[in-house]
Amino acid sequence: MTSQLYGIAASDGIAIAKTYRLENPSLEFEKIMIAEPGPEIERLQSALAKSTAELELIKEQAEKQIGPKEAAIFGAHLMVLSDPELIGPITEKITTDHVNAEFALHEVAEMFIGIFSSMDNDYMKERAADVKDVRNRVLGHLLGVKVPNPGLISEKVIILAEDLTPSDTVQFNPEFIQGFVTEIGGRTSHSAILARTLEIPAVVGVKHLMENLEDGTVLIVDGIEGKIIANPTKEELQHYGKRKEEFAHQKTQLASLKDAATLSADGVEVELGANIGSPKDLNSALENGAEAIGLFRTEFLYMGRDSFPTEEQQFEIYSEVLERMGSKPTVVRTLDIGGDKELSYLDLPKELNPFLGLRAIRLCLEMPDMFRTQLRALIRSSVHGNLKIMFPMIATLEEFRQAKQLFVEEQEKLAAEGIPFNEEIEVGIMVEIPSTAVMADLFAKEVDFFSIGTNDLIQYTLAADRMNENVAHLYQPFNPAILRMVKMVIDAAHKEGKWAGMCGEMAGEELAVPILLGLGLDEFSMSASSILKTRSLISTLSKAELVTHTEQILSLATAEEVKQYVAGLVKH
Ligand code: PEP
Ligand code: MG
């Protein structure tokens, strides 16, 4: 029977395909005493063989899709699978203790995980993570349950998941993944942002999703309205098939604006940039007419692998991005790990409130060696293009000063080593914590630019978790408190002759653009898929006229009032 579920529209477009449930299965088992070890050992061998075949395929796919360096982690897993020091003791345990293969595997794996993770050596700690992954894969085969392999999907599907981690989504091949739907998450959760980067329709925050939908159900994802339809009728399929075509048509029409400048109706020019997570995203940024990269989220470089990327590896990637962007500004954000972004090889303490914890610049200042490596790679890459660097999650001036000091020290070291770099690299900050927005006048004297990170600024200002669909109603970009802070930041920058941009998702929202233009924002950076729509919208707006409305807008009392007021200003 056809049924509809509602969520939050996370990425534009319509997708129609069968569902693929991405879930971590229960790997529970019991200890069983066995009389005959022979068949148990055979079961183990068969599970090992299946795991090997699967990993070889994943490695091959990953090499093609995300590159050999990123695929190396699967090579490490294959090595664990064929390591006699691990496999030998498992068979031995089955034979001598007369236990089932699941129990023997688990016991031996646990022993190695315990030894490796207690060593004071990063390399060995990474091996513990490898053993854990391999154990789960082999256990899945022994128990006959499906262990999800998003990288292996080779037919057109819509992914259903309770939540998607960035390490799941980096494996997605947009050729096959037509759309996705999650139970958890809001418009600015990282999986939603990634969906927009990959231009895959997505709906997030759909309650009871996993209870209601099975694998292989025909599903329509309406990423424009934030709705999904399971088992659609013939009429619904026809209707949405048509909407899908209309959407594609609209996109082709907008493509004519690709090389146009971004000018308001009264001739004021602003810059439209793209947010990217890896060099792979550059194609989509350039095809969509990005005039800059307003945010390169470097954390994705650190994910999906089993150790920190080296200075050389980072240097290559930054240089590639800068070269491809040529003279266009490219703002690279230093590592913003923590919060909802974890690294398997970095054993951070579990925190009660990770979004308020040791993340981003806080972590980088705690781990200066790791931070210096990134800064050196960035500084060296500056000869290849128009690099600007920004620090995430700055809450105090001391943090900025400390981070800048490390940057200057690395510049000095490189100069002493005779390594060339651009001495004029602009160093700015993200304004995503209210304390920094309030102190923008003082920050503006020391930084080269601001980029307002509304994704976090909204969650911290309204105390509403950006990932939590239960408080999505409080996650209000149009709340006058946010708009007033944005104004403070832009005014503070201009007073000191600096520029102010925005790289939070709000920069690409239809109703936010007129307000931001009126407030004098210099640079708007967004998911690539929003750029052309925004360029078209700006061409219909008169900045001079919008300026006359800003005082009135900022004096409104609620987000709803703001939206209604602005809707009246946007001509369709
Ligand atoms: C932001 O917080 O607005 C931002 C752009 O950073 P991220 O979404 O990566 O937290
Ligand atoms: Mg942020």
Side-chain angles (χ1 to χ4, degrees):
M1 210 182 65
T2 180
S3 64
Q4 303 195 352
L5 289 173
Y6 291 84
I8 298 162
S11 177
D12 271 358
I14 308 284
I16 307 173
K18 287 198 173 156
T19 57
Y20 179 102
R21 288 170 65 99
L22 198 63
E23 54 194 336
N24 286 324
S26 153
L27 293 175
E28 274 178 35
F29 61 86
E30 291 194 359
K31 175 181 180 183
I32 301 170
M33 300 307 291
I34 46 132
E36 264 306 312
E40 249 352 78
I41 291 177
E42 268 172 38
R43 281 182 63 231
L44 176 71
Q45 301 293 8
S46 152
L48 290 172
K50 283 184 195 154
S51 304
T52 307
E54 203 169 73
L55 274 170
E56 276 168 353
L57 211 63
I58 296 176
K59 183 164 169 270
E60 198 185 304
Q61 295 260 15
E63 274 167 2
K64 271 194 250 151
Q65 280 165 29
I66 45 177
K69 282 180 211 130
E70 289 80 3
I73 186 167
F74 302 112
H77 289 182
L78 278 165
M79 262 160 62
V80 173
L81 259 180
S82 59
D83 186 349
E85 301 216 9
L86 177 80
I87 309 303
I90 304 175
T91 28
E92 211 175 289
K93 201 164 187 65
I94 297 175
T95 318
T96 49
D97 295 359
H98 288 267
V99 289
N100 52 336
E102 287 87 341
F103 183 77
L105 165 70
H106 187 263
E107 290 288 286
V108 174
E110 277 304 297
M111 182 187 78
F112 280 104
I113 294 167
I115 297 174
F116 291 165
S117 42
S118 66
M119 287 183 182
D120 195 16
N121 172 328
D122 285 346
Y123 178 79
M124 293 320 285
K125 286 202 167 104
E126 288 152 24
R127 299 289 76 78
D130 291 342
V131 174
K132 218 183 269 180
D133 263 37
V134 168
R135 177 199 62 194
N136 289 352
R137 186 173 296 281
V138 181
L139 256 182
H141 282 295
L142 279 171
L143 296 165
V145 295
K146 178 178 120 187
V147 177
N149 289 309
L152 276 190
I153 295 172
S154 55
E155 57 177 339
K156 297 196 167 173
V157 293
I158 290 167
I159 300 278
L160 303 184
E162 195 183 323
D163 190 14
L164 287 170
T165 62
S167 55
D168 289 324
T169 46
V170 291
Q171 296 186 55
F172 284 1
N173 179 350
E175 197 185 323
F176 299 117
I177 312 295
Q178 302 289 293
F180 64 73
V181 190
T182 63
E183 207 161 296
I184 289 178
R187 236 188 103 69
T188 60
S189 55
H190 286 277
S191 47
I193 292 170
L194 198 94
R196 289 196 285 280
T197 305
L198 296 174
E199 302 186 57
I200 306 178
V203 177
V204 300
V206 178
K207 291 193 176 127
H208 310 296
L209 174 75
M210 300 307 272
E211 269 166 50
N212 280 304
L213 290 179
E214 290 179 0
D215 242 345
T217 311
V218 177
L219 191 75
I220 296 174
V221 177
D222 179 349
I224 306 164
E225 301 287 329
K227 165 164 113 173
I228 59 172
I229 304 172
N231 300 312
T233 61
K234 230 164 88 191
E235 291 74 31
E236 283 168 332
L237 277 174
Q238 256 173 7
H239 173 74
Y240 278 95
K242 229 167 101 198
R243 291 209 58 187
K244 196 172 168 191
E245 277 172 27
E246 280 164 14
F247 186 78
H249 177 68
Q250 221 178 22
K251 249 178 99 171
T252 335
Q253 279 192 320
L254 283 173
S256 64
L257 294 176
K258 180 175 160 242
D259 299 315
T262 310
L263 291 174
S264 65
D266 56 342
V268 179
E269 186 160 7
V270 291
E271 189 173 79
L272 288 194
N275 296 345
I276 62 166
S278 81
K280 247 189 356 181
D281 302 338
L282 271 180
N283 290 342
S284 156
L286 294 169
E287 272 162 31
N288 283 289
E291 294 160 304
I293 296 300
L295 167 64
F296 176 10
R297 291 183 165 93
T298 55
E299 46 280 8
F300 292 94
L301 236 94
Y302 291 70
M303 292 176 168
R305 41 182 301 135
D306 56 9
S307 58
F308 284 115
T310 61
E311 178 182 323
E312 226 35 55
Q313 287 167 336
Q314 296 191 54
F315 169 71
E316 271 175 41
I317 290 175
Y318 304 143
S319 303
E320 180 191 338
V321 172
L322 287 164
E323 256 167 33
R324 287 193 61 194
M325 289 305 289
S327 60
K328 294 178 180 161
T330 302
V331 183
V332 180
R333 173 175 80 185
T334 58
L335 184 61
D336 181 2
I337 216 73
D340 64 332
K341 293 169 277 192
E342 290 176 12
L343 292 184
S344 58
Y345 53 89
L346 184 63
D347 214 4
L348 291 172
K350 280 270 163 277
E351 296 177 310
L352 268 181
N353 288 304
F355 274 113
L356 302 181
L358 189 60
R359 57 173 292 202
I361 197 69
R362 304 165 181 190
L363 187 64
C364 286
L365 294 174
E366 284 279 315
M367 300 180 67
D369 290 344
M370 172 191 78
F371 191 38
R372 283 179 191 274
T373 303
Q374 182 174 35
L375 290 171
R376 276 177 72 89
L378 278 169
I379 299 166
R380 284 175 52 203
S381 71
S382 63
V383 291
H384 292 288
N386 186 357
L387 171 72
K388 301 173 197 292
I389 296 177
M390 70 178 168
F391 303 130
M393 297 289 296
I394 293 285
T396 67
L397 256 163
E398 288 99 322
E399 280 173 333
F400 172 70
R401 288 176 185 156
Q402 271 179 49
K404 178 84 189 273
Q405 176 62 25
L406 293 178
F407 166 82
V408 171
E409 283 172 21
E410 289 313 311
Q411 270 189 323
E412 285 166 358
K413 279 192 222 159
L414 286 167
E417 291 165 36
I419 296 173
F421 58 86
N422 170 9
E423 286 176 19
E424 306 285 309
I425 304 172
E426 286 187 15
V427 180
I429 58 166
M430 292 199 59
V431 182
E432 46 188 346
I433 297 181
S435 58
T436 300
V438 172
M439 296 287 282
D441 54 340
L442 292 169
F443 274 99
K445 295 183 195 301
E446 302 189 30
V447 304
D448 293 324
F449 64 91
F450 289 132
S451 184
I452 308 173
T454 45
N455 301 345
D456 278 318
L457 185 64
I458 298 166
Q459 79 163 344
Y460 294 132
T461 304
L462 287 127
D465 185 343
R466 66 195 261 193
M467 301 286 288
N468 185 341
E469 63 287 355
N470 297 319
V471 290
H473 61 288
L474 286 171
Y475 188 88
Q476 301 177 343
F478 295 94
N479 188 295
I482 301 297
L483 304 181
R484 290 182 188 199
M485 278 195 208
V486 170
K487 178 174 163 44
M488 284 167 77
V489 176
I490 298 173
D491 289 351
H494 290 173
K495 191 155 172 250
E496 298 296 332
K498 313 283 168 71
W499 61 272
M502 180 180 285
C503 60
E505 292 298 307
M506 187 175 172
E509 286 202 20
E510 191 185 11
L511 289 183
V513 170
I515 307 177
L516 300 171
L517 194 63
L519 288 173
L521 192 73
D522 303 295
E523 178 240 32
F524 298 63
S525 193
M526 58 197 70
S527 305
S529 60
S530 303
I531 293 176
L532 294 174
K533 266 188 303 191
T534 307
R535 183 165 296 150
S536 161
L537 171 64
I538 289 177
S539 71
T540 67
L541 301 169
S542 154
K543 177 169 173 180
E545 191 192 321
L546 289 169
V547 170
T548 65
H549 292 280
T550 51
E551 204 179 315
Q552 174 68 18
I553 293 172
L554 291 179
S555 70
L556 294 171
T558 66
E560 242 355 274
E561 283 174 30
V562 172
K563 282 199 268 185
Q564 273 177 20
Y565 187 97
V566 182
L569 300 177
V570 182
K571 300 182 193 87
H572 277 285

